[in-house]
Amino acid sequence: MDTSVAPPLPVANPLTEFFWEGTRAHKLLILRCQSCGHFVHYPRPVCERCLSEDLAPEEVSGNATLYSYTITMKPWHPFWVDKVPYVLASVELPEQPDLKMLTNIVECEHDALEIGMPVEVTFRQVAAELTLPFFKPVGS
Amino acid sequence: MGQTPRVAAVGVGYSTTGRRTGLNSRELAIQAAKAAMADAGMTPKDIDGVAVLWAVSGPAPPGVESVQALDIAQMMGFAPVGWYSDGAGPAYIGTALQAIAAIRAGFCHTCITFRVINQRLSSADLEQGQDETPAAGDSQFTMPFGQLLPLQAIAAMPMQRHMAVYGTTEEQFAHHAVTQRYHASLNEDAIFRDPLTVDDFLAMPYITSPLRILDCDYPVDSGSAVIYTTEERARDFQHKPVFVESAAYSGKGYMAFEIEDMLESAPFHTAKQLWERTDLEPKDVDCAQLYDGFSIITFQWLEALGFCAPGEAGPFIEAGNTRLGGKLPLNTDGGACNVGRRHGTNFCIESVRQIRGQCGARQVPDANTSVWANAVGPFSGAVLMVGD
Ligand SMILES: [Zn+2]
């Protein structure tokens, strides 16, 4: 791992630090309402469905489907100079309709990318303190 | 019957517009104000409200001056004003609808509205440098993954999904760009007027697939102004008034394009409200001026407003419906891709000029109804305008 250049680093706050602690431990955690079971992402202090403020991180399956993607050709930040083209993607988690997160798709030929394809989480350490949840085709 | 009390647009104007004009924000605003007042045949004392949208987001970089509503009011002799606002962003539609609402509510009777843009604040400039901003707030879930410019999540990913779900083709995006360029060729004020072909478009490289540079508006220095007033006063000025028949503004989701519905976002809710507030229907519209910050946004508005079914914008455009002489002439000034970025203001101004019959070679015959729309994703707004 070349740590000389890092990507923009997350500024975790009390509401989000669980997410980054989770990725460092190779767990994908999403905030979940402890009253009604609704997942809340991005993290917020209240459940949009029942207004409970009793929320806690829970590990999700790590499965997803590809909602959409773009192959970015230009490095708009020094970290990506040797990483273009890269596949920026929005994936939908099966735990709840419309529960999405942004990620990268890795270990996939570009012409094999297909919206709706099943993908699974894979963790990559990209800086000393930062591990990102990327996704790859299931079974790759 | 549309929304009452009725509000009319009675003056429109632009500053000098272009790349690195050397004009600062105040100068852009002053030029636009003078142009709009001259267009209306107004003096400063006719105006008692000011709304300006200047900021994009975050603090201005060193050397870029802001311009604020009260600053304009004092510089231009409008003060004291009865109402002012530093804009509801993030695009001109919010500022326009605030002003229209303030007039309807009686806080002021005649309000000048602005969108002032410094090219240096535009995201394209990030391409020249590096954004050192750490990933705070929700951006901690986007920037570390390489979501660095709005065009990735706002444009490229929705395009990709539109293509996958509806069968939209890159050729159809090309046809849209070609049609807008044709309209720009008829507009002396457009920046890009040379003919463009589908092959020219397709020969351009992707920036972030399937998006090409010609799918994007063109960042410039620009000041744009529109003056609105009450129906009671609307006929006292130089040109025939253009009335707001109905207007709507809506939002949903977090300001997070990358995790929202990329096909049926806020414009669909805005459009529903817009049509509920008038007896007019899509078939009554003579021309449409639909935001083209990115081409896919125009596609989504065509579908949201009911000019074609969801998913049908590509074939609708490819069949020539949006070209002058077609069923629904669209972005008749050439769009922000060709006249430069004004975050929606040009579409209001083009609506006014079409309904007045001032558009020369690009005039839609007997245009009396125009809809203009702005923004996409979590927030959006639209205005239906009609002649007297
Ligand atoms: Zn709940």
Side-chain angles (χ1 to χ4, degrees):
Chain A
M1 182 188 58
D2 172 13
T3 54
S4 58
V5 184
L9 294 173
V11 182
N13 58 49
L15 197 58
T16 66
E17 59 192 0
F18 76 86
F19 187 88
W20 300 112
E21 284 168 11
T23 60
R24 281 190 287 273
H26 290 202
K27 289 180 192 300
L28 184 60
L29 305 178
I30 303 286
L31 205 58
R32 190 174 198 189
C33 175
Q34 302 300 296
S35 285
C36 79
H38 192 70
F39 287 95
V40 177
H41 192 67
Y42 299 140
R44 293 291 185 268
V46 65
C47 169
E48 66 192 16
R49 191 164 75 178
C50 77
L51 304 189
S52 167
E53 292 167 48
D54 182 14
L55 300 153
E58 286 190 16
E59 187 171 5
V60 293
S61 64
N63 296 320
T65 54
L66 181 57
Y67 180 78
S68 196
Y69 66 94
T70 179
I71 304 168
T72 296
M73 314 304 286
K74 290 190 174 190
W76 287 302
H77 183 284
F79 177 74
W80 280 275
V81 167
D82 59 356
K83 295 175 182 69
V84 287
Y86 61 95
V87 182
L88 184 71
S90 180
V91 297
E92 199 163 8
L93 308 185
E95 278 75 11
Q96 180 172 295
D98 296 323
L99 182 64
K100 299 193 203 82
M101 60 179 284
L102 196 72
T103 185
N104 285 183
I105 302 296
V106 295
E107 297 177 37
C108 184
E109 296 295 327
H110 290 173
D111 56 15
L113 289 162
E114 195 176 345
I115 286 176
M117 72 191 287
V119 290
E120 63 190 10
V121 73
T122 177
F123 294 92
R124 298 284 173 87
Q125 187 176 5
V126 296
E129 290 297 305
L130 179 62
T131 297
L132 292 174
F134 289 161
F135 284 75
K136 60 177 185 174
V138 170
S140 74
Chain B
M1 192 58 206
Q3 288 171 286
T4 56
R6 296 217 293 172
V7 170
V10 292
V12 297
Y14 290 128
S15 69
T16 297
T17 298
R19 301 284 266 197
R20 305 187 189 282
T21 58
L23 297 170
N24 67 35
S25 302
R26 286 197 178 98
E27 291 162 335
L28 293 166
I30 292 165
Q31 286 190 4
K34 286 186 175 178
M37 289 163 65
D39 178 66
M42 261 182 199
T43 70
K45 291 300 159 206
D46 291 315
I47 293 173
D48 71 339
V50 179
V52 58
L53 177 60
W54 174 79
V56 175
S57 62
V64 177
E65 240 182 296
S66 74
V67 63
Q68 308 293 323
L70 279 183
D71 196 44
I72 294 174
Q74 189 62 28
M75 284 193 302
M76 298 301 298
F78 307 144
V81 289
W83 182 84
Y84 71 95
S85 165
D86 282 295
Y92 174 69
I93 187 75
T95 303
L97 294 187
Q98 270 195 344
I100 291 164
I103 294 168
R104 284 206 180 116
F107 287 120
C108 59
H109 55 71
T110 304
C111 187
I112 186 164
T113 62
F114 297 86
R115 178 70 177 109
V116 176
I117 294 178
N118 286 89
Q119 185 200 333
R120 279 192 60 192
L121 296 183
S122 300
S123 54
D125 275 25
L126 289 177
E127 295 178 37
Q128 271 86 58
Q130 289 126 23
D131 192 352
E132 299 293 339
T133 316
D138 287 345
S139 75
Q140 69 190 278
F141 298 107
T142 61
M143 288 173 68
F145 296 97
Q147 163 64 47
L148 300 168
L149 293 183
L151 48 78
Q152 294 164 292
I154 300 180
M157 282 201 270
M159 285 173 82
Q160 190 77 59
R161 186 157 176 90
H162 208 277
M163 291 167 66
V165 172
Y166 297 131
T168 305
T169 64
E170 295 184 26
E171 286 75 10
Q172 289 165 345
F173 289 107
H175 277 284
H176 177 58
V178 167
T179 303
Q180 297 212 139
R181 181 63 66 82
Y182 167 65
H183 295 166
S185 77
L186 304 174
N187 177 4
E188 287 173 8
D189 295 330
I191 295 168
F192 297 111
R193 303 186 64 196
D194 293 340
L196 178 76
T197 67
V198 168
D199 287 343
D200 294 337
F201 178 99
L202 294 174
M204 301 195 76
Y206 297 131
I207 305 171
T208 184
S209 73
L211 182 103
R212 294 174 169 88
I213 192 80
L214 291 178
D215 288 303
C216 309
D217 67 355
Y218 184 63
V220 290
D221 293 333
S222 67
S224 313
V226 179
I227 304 171
Y228 300 91
T229 193
T230 59
E231 177 161 28
E232 189 182 22
R233 291 169 187 255
R235 296 178 188 87
D236 297 343
F237 302 104
Q238 198 150 279
H239 297 289
K240 65 173 190 173
V242 173
F243 287 98
V244 174
E245 166 72 11
S246 69
Y249 190 45
S250 74
K252 67 172 201 175
Y254 300 134
M255 280 300 290
F257 293 84
E258 64 282 353
I259 56 168
E260 303 304 338
D261 187 326
M262 293 184 184
L263 299 181
E264 295 199 13
S265 63
F268 282 78
H269 188 63
T270 290
K272 182 172 178 289
Q273 293 181 313
L274 187 81
W275 296 122
E276 282 170 1
R277 293 169 186 172
T278 175
D279 296 332
L280 297 178
E281 298 173 28
K283 66 172 171 50
D284 300 315
V285 173
D286 299 313
C287 56
Q289 317 295 343
L290 308 178
Y291 184 61
D292 65 338
F294 301 113
S295 55
I296 186 66
I297 302 177
T298 315
F299 278 51
Q300 193 167 131
W301 275 112
L302 280 171
E303 297 169 6
L305 287 164
F307 293 119
C308 59
E312 291 298 315
F316 185 79
I317 288 166
E318 193 171 13
N321 288 302
T322 59
R323 197 177 171 91
L324 276 164
K327 193 169 147 190
L328 182 75
L330 173 72
N331 297 355
T332 49
D333 67 346
C337 296
N338 295 306
V339 304
R341 177 177 297 165
R342 297 165 188 286
H343 282 157
T345 325
N346 62 299
F347 296 121
C348 175
I349 292 177
E350 182 69 1
S351 293
V352 169
R353 288 180 171 170
Q354 283 287 350
I355 292 170
R356 286 179 181 173
Q358 295 177 315
C359 288
R362 67 179 196 278
Q363 180 65 44
V364 175
D366 303 318
N368 192 56
T369 305
S370 178
V371 63
W372 64 276
N374 193 192
V376 76
F379 62 97
S380 74
V383 178
L384 184 63
M385 291 181 133
V386 297
D388 200 358

